[in-house]
Amino acid sequence: MAAAITSPVPVAWYPTLAIFMLAIGLVVTASFFIYEATSSRRNRSLAKELTTGALASFFLGFGTLFLLLASGVYV
Amino acid sequence: MRVKGKVKKSGSNLLINVAKPEELPPSLIFHSVSLPKALGEGDSLTIDVLAVFTHALRPFPEEITQADIQLVLFQDTAHYLSPYAVKVQSLTVKLPKARIETYTKLENTNIHGSDIKYGPYENLPPFSYAPIAVHFETNQPFAVAQELVREIEISHWGNVQVTEHYNVVHQGAKSKGEFSRLDFQARPHLRGASALRNLVAKLPPRAHSIYYRDEIGNISTSNVWGDPKKTELVIEPRYPLFGGWRTTFTIGYGLPLQDFLFGLEGKRFLNFSFGSPINDLITDNLIVKVVLPEGSNDISISTPFPVKQGQETKISHLDVAGRPVVVLEKTNVVPEHNQYFQVYYRFNKLSMLREPFMLISGFFILFVSCILYMHVDMSISKSSPSYLAKLQWDEVRATIQQVVSIINQCLSKHERLEASLHDLSRTGDVQACKTARKTADSLFKEYSKELKPLLSFLQSSPQATQILPKVEELVAKEKELQERLIAKHSTIVDCYEKKIGGRELENRVASHQQKVVALKQEVDDLLDYIEEI
């Protein structure tokens, strides 16, 4: 018997997920840029920069995806 | 033309093929039906044959004015045209209205209301033919979609989007003379009885985001209402269609994925209806395009009737190579063709992650370029005085940041010391207090050792001459604060040991306490000032 296939994430969650992920992503982006602006050349740590950037881009990427899905652009 | 045979009792469909026997006249088209089991001598079988003919009614007169009624001519044979001998046969022509202009009068012809009955005729030879013509009134607008393109786009994130482009013509009697809008709206049944006013479409239930537009923009003359079994859409074109007039429009709607996509043994398949959802519309040329998500492979289709297949690619949102499109074409499509067809394909679940991964890598490239910009030194002259001054100022700032962090650590140790005093007042444990003071002492000594090289660097660099006095003041005040705090701490511990309490304790501690508070304030102010640089 054939089973109906649905989306991996419930469709009703799309707007909530979009807002939360974008909010977290923007907060991490803000912390990234604050670190860039206030640290001096000697004290900067490349590892911290890269991890903050990676975390921010992960949340921003998923947030943008769910934002597109919530607004009807089913990519 | 489509032929479907069924046995009355069991209701099963029989297989039909187009046959081309050599000894029979070539101007006729023959279809052969496979019977469920062979008929022996004396056996009988009941077969129902359904055949639908398009463009079979001819408007006569071919051109009418707005006030005329529409009359059409139907030509057929009263004797059943068959390669077999016919024993008994009768023909009933069912007309939409009782208004008949003329009809051929053969023997045994009767009229009952709006039905004309020819027959019964007996013992007819094979290929007997008796032409009849019926000329009658019908005010049906013969709506014909000359070209219909249906695009069905599947997104595994939960939506099936259907977009239909119509090119609709009124193929009844052509309109001649002028069109008077006033007459049409004042007396619609007398002036414009056969005009096409609206089209009714039956969409699947739970359809959402329905739109009806054309090249100009949105068309607002439409209505939707839905129930759990279907969604009914009534659309009116921008102008009523008279004979020969045409209009083009686009309808789009979205459907939930779980109603149409199913999985079976590793393969997924889409179960969708083939023809147009609009009632009473025939299509001369129907093209159905099924757009599958990127990464689908092993595609095959299954339709209940023959169609022409093709494949192409469509590039859509967040696509790298494009999405595979299955193109099905059929001519002469009637509402009886509105049956379900299936498209089978394979899809790896991980391919869905490709889309968020593209977005994530896009943002990551942005951040990496920011990091590169901050790290790369792009000044043109490396020995100019302003460049060197900037380098030195960077070093000074870094050193000051380190000094500030050490001072902050000292301040947190002060808090710990105060906390130990509170513990003492609670528990009375003098020994623990003494050990806390000892550890604090050793930590302070370490901090002052760390501060020494930083301070000497600041003293040697010319850029720091302005900020240096403040920093030195900060360090000095902090040291004083340390000493005061230690003194206060030892006083209190002494008092506890000697069991002096209350008023005496307060007096001894008072002066220390005042100084401590004042110094703390000054240290905080200095820290704020330095951090603002």
Side-chain angles (χ1 to χ4, degrees), chain A residues 17-53:
Chain A
L17 268 178
I19 291 178
F20 277 121
M21 294 218 139
L22 278 179
I24 298 174
L26 287 173
V27 164
V28 182
T29 309
S31 116
F32 172 83
F33 279 111
I34 288 174
Y35 183 68
E36 289 285 330
T38 56
S39 67
S40 62
R41 197 169 278 259
R42 228 176 6 160
N43 292 348
R44 226 178 267 144
S45 136
L46 186 65
K48 183 159 185 256
E49 284 175 330
L50 281 175
T51 40
T52 321

PDB file of all heavy atoms in Angstrom, chain A residues 17-53:
ATOM      1  N   LEU A  17       9.735  28.873  12.706  1.00  0.00           N
ATOM      2  CA  LEU A  17      11.136  28.487  12.529  1.00  0.00           C
ATOM      3  C   LEU A  17      11.911  29.589  11.828  1.00  0.00           C
ATOM      4  O   LEU A  17      13.060  29.880  12.186  1.00  0.00           O
ATOM      5  CB  LEU A  17      11.208  27.216  11.677  1.00  0.00           C
ATOM      6  CG  LEU A  17      11.212  25.897  12.432  1.00  0.00           C
ATOM      7  CD1 LEU A  17      11.230  24.754  11.449  1.00  0.00           C
ATOM      8  CD2 LEU A  17      12.411  25.820  13.336  1.00  0.00           C
ATOM      9  N   ALA A  18      11.279  30.219  10.833  1.00  0.00           N
ATOM     10  CA  ALA A  18      11.973  31.273  10.095  1.00  0.00           C
ATOM     11  C   ALA A  18      12.369  32.401  11.043  1.00  0.00           C
ATOM     12  O   ALA A  18      13.525  32.842  11.057  1.00  0.00           O
ATOM     13  CB  ALA A  18      11.065  31.799   8.984  1.00  0.00           C
ATOM     14  N   ILE A  19      11.420  32.846  11.874  1.00  0.00           N
ATOM     15  CA  ILE A  19      11.702  33.987  12.761  1.00  0.00           C
ATOM     16  C   ILE A  19      12.776  33.626  13.765  1.00  0.00           C
ATOM     17  O   ILE A  19      13.735  34.380  13.961  1.00  0.00           O
ATOM     18  CB  ILE A  19      10.408  34.429  13.458  1.00  0.00           C
ATOM     19  CG1 ILE A  19       9.482  35.054  12.436  1.00  0.00           C
ATOM     20  CG2 ILE A  19      10.699  35.382  14.578  1.00  0.00           C
ATOM     21  CD1 ILE A  19       8.160  35.489  12.992  1.00  0.00           C
ATOM     22  N   PHE A  20      12.664  32.435  14.381  1.00  0.00           N
ATOM     23  CA  PHE A  20      13.655  32.096  15.413  1.00  0.00           C
ATOM     24  C   PHE A  20      15.039  31.935  14.832  1.00  0.00           C
ATOM     25  O   PHE A  20      16.027  32.444  15.365  1.00  0.00           O
ATOM     26  CB  PHE A  20      13.227  30.820  16.146  1.00  0.00           C
ATOM     27  CG  PHE A  20      12.241  31.106  17.230  1.00  0.00           C
ATOM     28  CD1 PHE A  20      10.987  30.529  17.225  1.00  0.00           C
ATOM     29  CD2 PHE A  20      12.560  31.976  18.255  1.00  0.00           C
ATOM     30  CE1 PHE A  20      10.073  30.815  18.225  1.00  0.00           C
ATOM     31  CE2 PHE A  20      11.656  32.258  19.254  1.00  0.00           C
ATOM     32  CZ  PHE A  20      10.408  31.677  19.241  1.00  0.00           C
ATOM     33  N   MET A  21      15.127  31.230  13.697  1.00  0.00           N
ATOM     34  CA  MET A  21      16.459  31.005  13.139  1.00  0.00           C
ATOM     35  C   MET A  21      17.084  32.305  12.655  1.00  0.00           C
ATOM     36  O   MET A  21      18.283  32.526  12.827  1.00  0.00           O
ATOM     37  CB  MET A  21      16.360  30.015  11.981  1.00  0.00           C
ATOM     38  CG  MET A  21      15.949  28.637  12.438  1.00  0.00           C
ATOM     39  SD  MET A  21      16.809  27.402  11.521  1.00  0.00           S
ATOM     40  CE  MET A  21      17.179  26.267  12.780  1.00  0.00           C
ATOM     41  N   LEU A  22      16.280  33.178  12.051  1.00  0.00           N
ATOM     42  CA  LEU A  22      16.839  34.447  11.601  1.00  0.00           C
ATOM     43  C   LEU A  22      17.256  35.297  12.780  1.00  0.00           C
ATOM     44  O   LEU A  22      18.304  35.953  12.738  1.00  0.00           O
ATOM     45  CB  LEU A  22      15.821  35.202  10.752  1.00  0.00           C
ATOM     46  CG  LEU A  22      15.740  34.769   9.291  1.00  0.00           C
ATOM     47  CD1 LEU A  22      14.684  35.584   8.588  1.00  0.00           C
ATOM     48  CD2 LEU A  22      17.069  34.941   8.609  1.00  0.00           C
ATOM     49  N   ALA A  23      16.471  35.272  13.870  1.00  0.00           N
ATOM     50  CA  ALA A  23      16.832  36.079  15.041  1.00  0.00           C
ATOM     51  C   ALA A  23      18.163  35.611  15.611  1.00  0.00           C
ATOM     52  O   ALA A  23      19.072  36.408  15.850  1.00  0.00           O
ATOM     53  CB  ALA A  23      15.729  35.980  16.096  1.00  0.00           C
ATOM     54  N   ILE A  24      18.286  34.287  15.788  1.00  0.00           N
ATOM     55  CA  ILE A  24      19.543  33.759  16.338  1.00  0.00           C
ATOM     56  C   ILE A  24      20.699  34.066  15.390  1.00  0.00           C
ATOM     57  O   ILE A  24      21.782  34.484  15.806  1.00  0.00           O
ATOM     58  CB  ILE A  24      19.427  32.242  16.570  1.00  0.00           C
ATOM     59  CG1 ILE A  24      18.345  31.959  17.589  1.00  0.00           C
ATOM     60  CG2 ILE A  24      20.747  31.662  17.031  1.00  0.00           C
ATOM     61  CD1 ILE A  24      18.071  30.489  17.777  1.00  0.00           C
ATOM     62  N   GLY A  25      20.454  33.887  14.092  1.00  0.00           N
ATOM     63  CA  GLY A  25      21.516  34.154  13.119  1.00  0.00           C
ATOM     64  C   GLY A  25      21.962  35.608  13.159  1.00  0.00           C
ATOM     65  O   GLY A  25      23.164  35.908  13.087  1.00  0.00           O
ATOM     66  N   LEU A  26      21.007  36.528  13.304  1.00  0.00           N
ATOM     67  CA  LEU A  26      21.389  37.944  13.334  1.00  0.00           C
ATOM     68  C   LEU A  26      22.138  38.285  14.613  1.00  0.00           C
ATOM     69  O   LEU A  26      23.066  39.095  14.588  1.00  0.00           O
ATOM     70  CB  LEU A  26      20.145  38.819  13.177  1.00  0.00           C
ATOM     71  CG  LEU A  26      19.565  38.814  11.762  1.00  0.00           C
ATOM     72  CD1 LEU A  26      18.249  39.558  11.735  1.00  0.00           C
ATOM     73  CD2 LEU A  26      20.529  39.436  10.783  1.00  0.00           C
ATOM     74  N   VAL A  27      21.753  37.644  15.730  1.00  0.00           N
ATOM     75  CA  VAL A  27      22.477  37.908  16.983  1.00  0.00           C
ATOM     76  C   VAL A  27      23.923  37.445  16.863  1.00  0.00           C
ATOM     77  O   VAL A  27      24.868  38.150  17.248  1.00  0.00           O
ATOM     78  CB  VAL A  27      21.755  37.208  18.158  1.00  0.00           C
ATOM     79  CG1 VAL A  27      22.656  37.115  19.355  1.00  0.00           C
ATOM     80  CG2 VAL A  27      20.492  37.958  18.512  1.00  0.00           C
ATOM     81  N   VAL A  28      24.118  36.252  16.294  1.00  0.00           N
ATOM     82  CA  VAL A  28      25.493  35.754  16.140  1.00  0.00           C
ATOM     83  C   VAL A  28      26.270  36.627  15.151  1.00  0.00           C
ATOM     84  O   VAL A  28      27.472  36.884  15.346  1.00  0.00           O
ATOM     85  CB  VAL A  28      25.476  34.276  15.680  1.00  0.00           C
ATOM     86  CG1 VAL A  28      26.873  33.732  15.562  1.00  0.00           C
ATOM     87  CG2 VAL A  28      24.696  33.434  16.651  1.00  0.00           C
ATOM     88  N   THR A  29      25.589  37.104  14.095  1.00  0.00           N
ATOM     89  CA  THR A  29      26.262  38.021  13.157  1.00  0.00           C
ATOM     90  C   THR A  29      26.709  39.285  13.863  1.00  0.00           C
ATOM     91  O   THR A  29      27.819  39.781  13.644  1.00  0.00           O
ATOM     92  CB  THR A  29      25.302  38.392  12.022  1.00  0.00           C
ATOM     93  OG1 THR A  29      24.755  37.213  11.470  1.00  0.00           O
ATOM     94  CG2 THR A  29      26.010  39.167  10.947  1.00  0.00           C
ATOM     95  N   ALA A  30      25.828  39.796  14.732  1.00  0.00           N
ATOM     96  CA  ALA A  30      26.182  41.015  15.469  1.00  0.00           C
ATOM     97  C   ALA A  30      27.417  40.764  16.331  1.00  0.00           C
ATOM     98  O   ALA A  30      28.338  41.590  16.374  1.00  0.00           O
ATOM     99  CB  ALA A  30      25.006  41.454  16.339  1.00  0.00           C
ATOM    100  N   SER A  31      27.445  39.604  17.008  1.00  0.00           N
ATOM    101  CA  SER A  31      28.603  39.334  17.864  1.00  0.00           C
ATOM    102  C   SER A  31      29.869  39.195  17.032  1.00  0.00           C
ATOM    103  O   SER A  31      30.947  39.643  17.443  1.00  0.00           O
ATOM    104  CB  SER A  31      28.335  38.077  18.694  1.00  0.00           C
ATOM    105  OG  SER A  31      29.221  37.065  18.376  1.00  0.00           O
ATOM    106  N   PHE A  32      29.732  38.628  15.818  1.00  0.00           N
ATOM    107  CA  PHE A  32      30.891  38.518  14.928  1.00  0.00           C
ATOM    108  C   PHE A  32      31.433  39.895  14.590  1.00  0.00           C
ATOM    109  O   PHE A  32      32.636  40.158  14.686  1.00  0.00           O
ATOM    110  CB  PHE A  32      30.460  37.775  13.652  1.00  0.00           C
ATOM    111  CG  PHE A  32      31.484  37.743  12.559  1.00  0.00           C
ATOM    112  CD1 PHE A  32      32.490  36.791  12.569  1.00  0.00           C
ATOM    113  CD2 PHE A  32      31.450  38.656  11.522  1.00  0.00           C
ATOM    114  CE1 PHE A  32      33.436  36.749  11.555  1.00  0.00           C
ATOM    115  CE2 PHE A  32      32.402  38.621  10.519  1.00  0.00           C
ATOM    116  CZ  PHE A  32      33.393  37.669  10.534  1.00  0.00           C
ATOM    117  N   PHE A  33      30.542  40.810  14.209  1.00  0.00           N
ATOM    118  CA  PHE A  33      31.030  42.118  13.790  1.00  0.00           C
ATOM    119  C   PHE A  33      31.553  42.948  14.948  1.00  0.00           C
ATOM    120  O   PHE A  33      32.474  43.744  14.784  1.00  0.00           O
ATOM    121  CB  PHE A  33      29.933  42.863  13.009  1.00  0.00           C
ATOM    122  CG  PHE A  33      29.849  42.417  11.587  1.00  0.00           C
ATOM    123  CD1 PHE A  33      28.764  41.692  11.128  1.00  0.00           C
ATOM    124  CD2 PHE A  33      30.866  42.697  10.697  1.00  0.00           C
ATOM    125  CE1 PHE A  33      28.696  41.268   9.817  1.00  0.00           C
ATOM    126  CE2 PHE A  33      30.811  42.266   9.387  1.00  0.00           C
ATOM    127  CZ  PHE A  33      29.730  41.554   8.954  1.00  0.00           C
ATOM    128  N   ILE A  34      30.971  42.736  16.141  1.00  0.00           N
ATOM    129  CA  ILE A  34      31.495  43.451  17.315  1.00  0.00           C
ATOM    130  C   ILE A  34      32.900  42.972  17.616  1.00  0.00           C
ATOM    131  O   ILE A  34      33.800  43.757  17.909  1.00  0.00           O
ATOM    132  CB  ILE A  34      30.566  43.220  18.527  1.00  0.00           C
ATOM    133  CG1 ILE A  34      29.271  43.996  18.322  1.00  0.00           C
ATOM    134  CG2 ILE A  34      31.229  43.652  19.813  1.00  0.00           C
ATOM    135  CD1 ILE A  34      28.245  43.730  19.383  1.00  0.00           C
ATOM    136  N   TYR A  35      33.100  41.661  17.505  1.00  0.00           N
ATOM    137  CA  TYR A  35      34.447  41.134  17.747  1.00  0.00           C
ATOM    138  C   TYR A  35      35.437  41.705  16.740  1.00  0.00           C
ATOM    139  O   TYR A  35      36.559  42.084  17.083  1.00  0.00           O
ATOM    140  CB  TYR A  35      34.424  39.606  17.685  1.00  0.00           C
ATOM    141  CG  TYR A  35      35.751  38.974  17.981  1.00  0.00           C
ATOM    142  CD1 TYR A  35      36.296  39.041  19.257  1.00  0.00           C
ATOM    143  CD2 TYR A  35      36.473  38.318  16.995  1.00  0.00           C
ATOM    144  CE1 TYR A  35      37.518  38.484  19.544  1.00  0.00           C
ATOM    145  CE2 TYR A  35      37.698  37.752  17.274  1.00  0.00           C
ATOM    146  CZ  TYR A  35      38.219  37.838  18.546  1.00  0.00           C
ATOM    147  OH  TYR A  35      39.436  37.275  18.829  1.00  0.00           O
ATOM    148  N   GLU A  36      35.024  41.771  15.477  1.00  0.00           N
ATOM    149  CA  GLU A  36      35.907  42.314  14.449  1.00  0.00           C
ATOM    150  C   GLU A  36      36.247  43.769  14.726  1.00  0.00           C
ATOM    151  O   GLU A  36      37.365  44.220  14.506  1.00  0.00           O
ATOM    152  CB  GLU A  36      35.207  42.234  13.068  1.00  0.00           C
ATOM    153  CG  GLU A  36      35.071  40.841  12.523  1.00  0.00           C
ATOM    154  CD  GLU A  36      36.377  40.290  11.989  1.00  0.00           C
ATOM    155  OE1 GLU A  36      37.212  41.082  11.527  1.00  0.00           O
ATOM    156  OE2 GLU A  36      36.571  39.075  12.062  1.00  0.00           O
ATOM    157  N   ALA A  37      35.292  44.524  15.201  1.00  0.00           N
ATOM    158  CA  ALA A  37      35.510  45.957  15.358  1.00  0.00           C
ATOM    159  C   ALA A  37      36.333  46.283  16.585  1.00  0.00           C
ATOM    160  O   ALA A  37      37.122  47.226  16.581  1.00  0.00           O
ATOM    161  CB  ALA A  37      34.164  46.670  15.433  1.00  0.00           C
ATOM    162  N   THR A  38      36.158  45.513  17.666  1.00  0.00           N
ATOM    163  CA  THR A  38      36.815  45.918  18.907  1.00  0.00           C
ATOM    164  C   THR A  38      38.158  45.242  19.138  1.00  0.00           C
ATOM    165  O   THR A  38      38.954  45.719  19.929  1.00  0.00           O
ATOM    166  CB  THR A  38      35.932  45.578  20.120  1.00  0.00           C
ATOM    167  OG1 THR A  38      35.638  44.182  20.058  1.00  0.00           O
ATOM    168  CG2 THR A  38      34.656  46.363  20.096  1.00  0.00           C
ATOM    169  N   SER A  39      38.433  44.137  18.478  1.00  0.00           N
ATOM    170  CA  SER A  39      39.704  43.478  18.791  1.00  0.00           C
ATOM    171  C   SER A  39      40.809  44.103  17.960  1.00  0.00           C
ATOM    172  O   SER A  39      40.591  44.555  16.844  1.00  0.00           O
ATOM    173  CB  SER A  39      39.609  41.990  18.492  1.00  0.00           C
ATOM    174  OG  SER A  39      39.484  41.811  17.106  1.00  0.00           O
ATOM    175  N   SER A  40      42.008  44.137  18.529  1.00  0.00           N
ATOM    176  CA  SER A  40      43.139  44.688  17.783  1.00  0.00           C
ATOM    177  C   SER A  40      43.867  43.546  17.083  1.00  0.00           C
ATOM    178  O   SER A  40      43.607  42.378  17.333  1.00  0.00           O
ATOM    179  CB  SER A  40      44.080  45.420  18.723  1.00  0.00           C
ATOM    180  OG  SER A  40      44.577  44.484  19.654  1.00  0.00           O
ATOM    181  N   ARG A  41      44.774  43.914  16.204  1.00  0.00           N
ATOM    182  CA  ARG A  41      45.379  42.921  15.330  1.00  0.00           C
ATOM    183  C   ARG A  41      46.056  41.805  16.093  1.00  0.00           C
ATOM    184  O   ARG A  41      46.030  40.656  15.691  1.00  0.00           O
ATOM    185  CB  ARG A  41      46.391  43.632  14.435  1.00  0.00           C
ATOM    186  CG  ARG A  41      46.806  42.863  13.222  1.00  0.00           C
ATOM    187  CD  ARG A  41      47.575  43.787  12.300  1.00  0.00           C
ATOM    188  NE  ARG A  41      46.676  44.598  11.503  1.00  0.00           N
ATOM    189  CZ  ARG A  41      46.398  44.321  10.236  1.00  0.00           C
ATOM    190  NH1 ARG A  41      46.948  43.312   9.650  1.00  0.00           N
ATOM    191  NH2 ARG A  41      45.564  45.077   9.565  1.00  0.00           N
ATOM    192  N   ARG A  42      46.687  42.144  17.233  1.00  0.00           N
ATOM    193  CA  ARG A  42      47.448  41.122  17.922  1.00  0.00           C
ATOM    194  C   ARG A  42      46.551  40.130  18.645  1.00  0.00           C
ATOM    195  O   ARG A  42      46.840  38.966  18.743  1.00  0.00           O
ATOM    196  CB  ARG A  42      48.390  41.782  18.929  1.00  0.00           C
ATOM    197  CG  ARG A  42      49.783  41.221  18.807  1.00  0.00           C
ATOM    198  CD  ARG A  42      50.787  41.850  19.669  1.00  0.00           C
ATOM    199  NE  ARG A  42      50.327  42.820  20.611  1.00  0.00           N
ATOM    200  CZ  ARG A  42      51.039  43.160  21.677  1.00  0.00           C
ATOM    201  NH1 ARG A  42      52.181  42.590  21.908  1.00  0.00           N
ATOM    202  NH2 ARG A  42      50.592  44.089  22.497  1.00  0.00           N
ATOM    203  N   ASN A  43      45.438  40.661  19.196  1.00  0.00           N
ATOM    204  CA  ASN A  43      44.613  39.796  20.042  1.00  0.00           C
ATOM    205  C   ASN A  43      43.640  38.936  19.268  1.00  0.00           C
ATOM    206  O   ASN A  43      42.990  38.083  19.851  1.00  0.00           O
ATOM    207  CB  ASN A  43      43.790  40.657  21.018  1.00  0.00           C
ATOM    208  CG  ASN A  43      44.685  41.313  22.022  1.00  0.00           C
ATOM    209  OD1 ASN A  43      45.842  40.956  22.119  1.00  0.00           O
ATOM    210  ND2 ASN A  43      44.148  42.278  22.731  1.00  0.00           N
ATOM    211  N   ARG A  44      43.525  39.197  17.939  1.00  0.00           N
ATOM    212  CA  ARG A  44      42.488  38.481  17.199  1.00  0.00           C
ATOM    213  C   ARG A  44      42.791  37.006  17.090  1.00  0.00           C
ATOM    214  O   ARG A  44      43.925  36.608  16.850  1.00  0.00           O
ATOM    215  CB  ARG A  44      42.395  39.089  15.801  1.00  0.00           C
ATOM    216  CG  ARG A  44      40.981  39.350  15.393  1.00  0.00           C
ATOM    217  CD  ARG A  44      40.941  39.995  14.053  1.00  0.00           C
ATOM    218  NE  ARG A  44      40.913  41.440  14.184  1.00  0.00           N
ATOM    219  CZ  ARG A  44      41.529  42.253  13.340  1.00  0.00           C
ATOM    220  NH1 ARG A  44      42.226  41.761  12.356  1.00  0.00           N
ATOM    221  NH2 ARG A  44      41.459  43.539  13.501  1.00  0.00           N
ATOM    222  N   SER A  45      41.766  36.174  17.193  1.00  0.00           N
ATOM    223  CA  SER A  45      41.965  34.736  17.055  1.00  0.00           C
ATOM    224  C   SER A  45      41.155  34.247  15.849  1.00  0.00           C
ATOM    225  O   SER A  45      39.944  34.392  15.803  1.00  0.00           O
ATOM    226  CB  SER A  45      41.491  34.047  18.341  1.00  0.00           C
ATOM    227  OG  SER A  45      40.734  32.916  18.039  1.00  0.00           O
ATOM    228  N   LEU A  46      41.871  33.658  14.873  1.00  0.00           N
ATOM    229  CA  LEU A  46      41.203  33.233  13.630  1.00  0.00           C
ATOM    230  C   LEU A  46      40.171  32.145  13.907  1.00  0.00           C
ATOM    231  O   LEU A  46      39.108  32.087  13.288  1.00  0.00           O
ATOM    232  CB  LEU A  46      42.260  32.719  12.642  1.00  0.00           C
ATOM    233  CG  LEU A  46      41.742  32.373  11.247  1.00  0.00           C
ATOM    234  CD1 LEU A  46      41.247  33.621  10.551  1.00  0.00           C
ATOM    235  CD2 LEU A  46      42.828  31.713  10.428  1.00  0.00           C
ATOM    236  N   ALA A  47      40.466  31.269  14.867  1.00  0.00           N
ATOM    237  CA  ALA A  47      39.534  30.177  15.164  1.00  0.00           C
ATOM    238  C   ALA A  47      38.198  30.734  15.645  1.00  0.00           C
ATOM    239  O   ALA A  47      37.130  30.310  15.209  1.00  0.00           O
ATOM    240  CB  ALA A  47      40.141  29.262  16.221  1.00  0.00           C
ATOM    241  N   LYS A  48      38.279  31.748  16.537  1.00  0.00           N
ATOM    242  CA  LYS A  48      37.020  32.319  17.053  1.00  0.00           C
ATOM    243  C   LYS A  48      36.235  32.984  15.937  1.00  0.00           C
ATOM    244  O   LYS A  48      35.007  32.840  15.845  1.00  0.00           O
ATOM    245  CB  LYS A  48      37.356  33.335  18.145  1.00  0.00           C
ATOM    246  CG  LYS A  48      36.143  33.922  18.796  1.00  0.00           C
ATOM    247  CD  LYS A  48      36.490  34.499  20.168  1.00  0.00           C
ATOM    248  CE  LYS A  48      35.223  34.975  20.828  1.00  0.00           C
ATOM    249  NZ  LYS A  48      34.912  36.296  20.910  1.00  0.00           N
ATOM    250  N   GLU A  49      36.964  33.687  15.039  1.00  0.00           N
ATOM    251  CA  GLU A  49      36.274  34.356  13.934  1.00  0.00           C
ATOM    252  C   GLU A  49      35.570  33.339  13.050  1.00  0.00           C
ATOM    253  O   GLU A  49      34.400  33.500  12.688  1.00  0.00           O
ATOM    254  CB  GLU A  49      37.273  35.130  13.078  1.00  0.00           C
ATOM    255  CG  GLU A  49      37.752  36.417  13.695  1.00  0.00           C
ATOM    256  CD  GLU A  49      38.818  37.072  12.849  1.00  0.00           C
ATOM    257  OE1 GLU A  49      39.564  36.342  12.168  1.00  0.00           O
ATOM    258  OE2 GLU A  49      38.913  38.293  12.871  1.00  0.00           O
ATOM    259  N   LEU A  50      36.307  32.261  12.684  1.00  0.00           N
ATOM    260  CA  LEU A  50      35.720  31.286  11.763  1.00  0.00           C
ATOM    261  C   LEU A  50      34.540  30.568  12.389  1.00  0.00           C
ATOM    262  O   LEU A  50      33.530  30.328  11.725  1.00  0.00           O
ATOM    263  CB  LEU A  50      36.781  30.283  11.308  1.00  0.00           C
ATOM    264  CG  LEU A  50      37.711  30.797  10.220  1.00  0.00           C
ATOM    265  CD1 LEU A  50      38.781  29.782   9.922  1.00  0.00           C
ATOM    266  CD2 LEU A  50      36.933  31.100   8.949  1.00  0.00           C
ATOM    267  N   THR A  51      34.626  30.209  13.670  1.00  0.00           N
ATOM    268  CA  THR A  51      33.493  29.486  14.262  1.00  0.00           C
ATOM    269  C   THR A  51      32.278  30.398  14.374  1.00  0.00           C
ATOM    270  O   THR A  51      31.151  29.972  14.062  1.00  0.00           O
ATOM    271  CB  THR A  51      33.828  28.959  15.673  1.00  0.00           C
ATOM    272  OG1 THR A  51      34.583  29.948  16.349  1.00  0.00           O
ATOM    273  CG2 THR A  51      34.545  27.656  15.633  1.00  0.00           C
ATOM    274  N   THR A  52      32.510  31.667  14.765  1.00  0.00           N
ATOM    275  CA  THR A  52      31.350  32.567  14.840  1.00  0.00           C
ATOM    276  C   THR A  52      30.727  32.741  13.467  1.00  0.00           C
ATOM    277  O   THR A  52      29.502  32.707  13.311  1.00  0.00           O
ATOM    278  CB  THR A  52      31.784  33.936  15.375  1.00  0.00           C
ATOM    279  OG1 THR A  52      32.744  33.753  16.387  1.00  0.00           O
ATOM    280  CG2 THR A  52      30.611  34.710  15.898  1.00  0.00           C
ATOM    281  N   GLY A  53      31.590  32.909  12.431  1.00  0.00           N
ATOM    282  CA  GLY A  53      31.056  33.068  11.081  1.00  0.00           C
ATOM    283  C   GLY A  53      30.294  31.849  10.620  1.00  0.00           C
ATOM    284  O   GLY A  53      29.216  31.959  10.014  1.00  0.00           O
TER     285      GLY A  53
END
